[in-house]
Amino acid sequence: MTALPRGAGFRPPGPLRSGHIQTILSSSGIRRRLLPKAALEILQGAEHVLVDGGDGVRLTGVYTAQKRLASPRGLAVLFHGWEGSVDSTYVLQTGSRLLREGWDVFRLNFRDHGDNFHLNEALFHSCRIDEVVHAVGDLARRWPSRPMVLAGFSLGGNFALRVANRAQAVGLPLSYVLAVCPIIDPSEGLYSLEESAPWFYRAYFIRKWRRSLQAKQALFPQHTYFELAELKQGLRGLTAALVARNTDFESLEQYLDGYSVGGDALAGMTVPGTILTAADDPVIPVNSFRQLQLPAHVELDISPYGGHCGFIQGWDMTSFTDDYIAARFNAVAEGQSPR
């Protein structure tokens, strides 16, 4: 078996060894313009799909069938990060690589992400795991190619780990999960964004979030999701206001704990998996990863470089994570250990 890529082997050239540069470039328009055409292959022949999230919830996604092999290696499902979508650069790039490797690929939009603000009146929040689990079950029934594997980025990585943690209990035929820079402890992550990370990360996230909230409010004027004064608050204040107004959680702390995968939360996970992160991630503190209590079949791989969901390996803006994810998914398809 060929050795699988490891985070320790990621060595970008000089200026790209900055965690901040990696993070800024990861979602930048510059990166999208510089990417080779192959990174957008996933858009060719893509089928837009309405997905069943259970209890009347509807989500959207995009399915692309591979054309390289006589039969697909399996079905690869991809989750974007917070305020991202199925068309985020990193999702398109990873999906295109997997397509070339012979995987059928499904890219799922979370509620109120991408093009689906209008489908559900209730607001998105990060504890809406039930609908995502149900949606993955819907995908498994509609596209029965096996193995079924799952990868997520940032908040999508957090969702992916929680889906895998529930897979056995709900009968999901999930063979493997891979999370890139997942949110581990939301309380610690929020504190890091407020107190440690440079101001421009907060400005980036809050600007995109406010825009999404305003789009949602315009579609459902009969529902008051927020007051204008609340919308002007920072990350913590706005999160607390939305939790109080739109959820049944008794406090901000209870809500943040509701989607934590920290400590021993994943100790009973039966699905094999890998968590890839970077020690220089300026958004999610690396100490959260070092405190995880994981079963033997879940691999923790901490790269010295990569920033937050960056791992950009050169000035062509391609990402190390494409090789990393494809190699492990292929190992699963070939009946080998993805570690």
Side-chain angles (χ1 to χ4, degrees):
M1 175 180 173
T2 303
L4 296 172
R6 297 279 304 168
F10 175 59
R11 286 289 190 274
L16 290 180
R17 293 192 179 185
S18 162
H20 293 302
I21 291 177
Q22 286 278 343
T23 303
I24 292 167
L25 286 176
S26 66
S27 299
S28 70
I30 295 173
R31 181 186 184 193
R32 187 153 182 152
R33 286 193 294 272
L34 291 177
L35 279 173
K37 290 183 179 179
L40 301 178
E41 187 176 334
I42 193 75
L43 299 175
Q44 300 170 15
E47 174 189 351
H48 292 261
V49 179
L50 198 61
V51 185
D52 180 13
D55 295 327
V57 173
R58 295 172 297 165
L59 303 177
T60 59
V62 185
Y63 172 77
T64 310
Q66 66 85 33
K67 297 180 176 62
R68 299 297 176 93
L69 305 178
S71 59
R73 287 181 183 266
L75 177 66
V77 180
L78 301 180
F79 288 173
H80 59 77
W82 183 42
E83 289 299 314
S85 77
V86 297
D87 291 322
S88 291
T89 301
Y90 52 90
V91 176
L92 296 177
Q93 187 173 335
T94 300
S96 295
R97 173 60 186 275
L98 293 172
L99 203 64
R100 292 194 297 276
E101 293 288 335
W103 290 88
D104 290 341
V105 179
F106 194 95
R107 298 170 281 140
L108 181 72
N109 273 323
F110 298 137
R111 179 194 295 235
D112 296 344
H113 288 74
D115 60 358
N116 67 20
F117 288 94
H118 63 291
L119 291 178
N120 308 284
E121 183 170 352
L123 200 64
F124 169 82
H125 61 70
S126 298
C127 290
R128 293 197 184 278
I129 183 63
D130 290 345
E131 64 195 46
V132 178
V133 171
H134 197 282
V136 174
D138 185 30
L139 302 182
R141 289 186 292 272
R142 293 165 71 171
W143 289 283
S145 296
R146 298 291 181 269
M148 184 183 193
V149 292
L150 173 61
F153 302 82
S154 193
L155 180 59
N158 171 282
F159 268 98
L161 291 171
R162 285 184 287 153
V163 168
N165 211 20
R166 293 191 180 196
Q168 184 180 45
V170 300
L172 278 182
L174 188 61
S175 297
Y176 176 69
V177 63
L178 197 154
V180 179
C181 299
I183 295 173
I184 300 297
D185 182 342
S187 294
E188 188 171 318
L190 180 58
Y191 179 84
S192 174
L193 271 175
E194 289 181 313
E195 303 295 334
S196 304
W199 65 270
F200 48 82
Y201 292 120
R202 294 190 298 278
Y204 172 80
F205 284 117
I206 200 75
R207 183 179 69 255
K208 294 191 73 173
W209 192 19
R210 285 170 180 162
R211 189 182 305 144
S212 293
L213 290 169
Q214 289 169 325
K216 183 78 170 185
Q217 187 65 81
L219 288 166
F220 296 97
Q222 73 279 13
H223 193 114
T224 303
Y225 298 107
F226 54 84
E227 298 288 352
L228 287 178
E230 295 168 346
L231 196 64
K232 296 176 182 178
Q233 297 186 74
L235 280 172
R236 180 175 295 273
L238 181 54
T239 305
L242 292 174
V243 166
R245 187 179 292 276
N246 297 281
T247 78
D248 295 327
F249 292 101
E250 296 180 358
S251 65
L252 173 62
E253 290 70 26
Q254 186 185 63
Y255 164 68
L256 295 173
D257 287 344
Y259 68 102
S260 172
V261 293
D264 63 356
L266 301 175
M269 191 170 88
T270 58
V271 176
T274 297
I275 299 172
L276 171 67
T277 193
D280 64 354
D281 187 332
V283 176
I284 300 177
V286 71
N287 285 339
S288 297
F289 295 90
R290 293 179 172 137
Q291 294 167 9
L292 286 170
Q293 298 172 40
L294 300 171
H297 52 267
V298 178
E299 170 189 34
L300 174 61
D301 192 359
I302 301 176
S303 169
Y305 308 108
H308 185 64
C309 294
F311 295 96
I312 296 168
Q313 54 193 357
W315 301 112
D316 63 353
M317 295 292 128
T318 57
S319 177
F320 168 78
T321 56
D322 296 345
D323 297 333
Y324 192 95
I325 293 170
R328 281 163 172 75
F329 281 11
N330 291 347
V332 172
E334 293 161 7
Q336 300 171 353
S337 171
R339 297 191 53 138

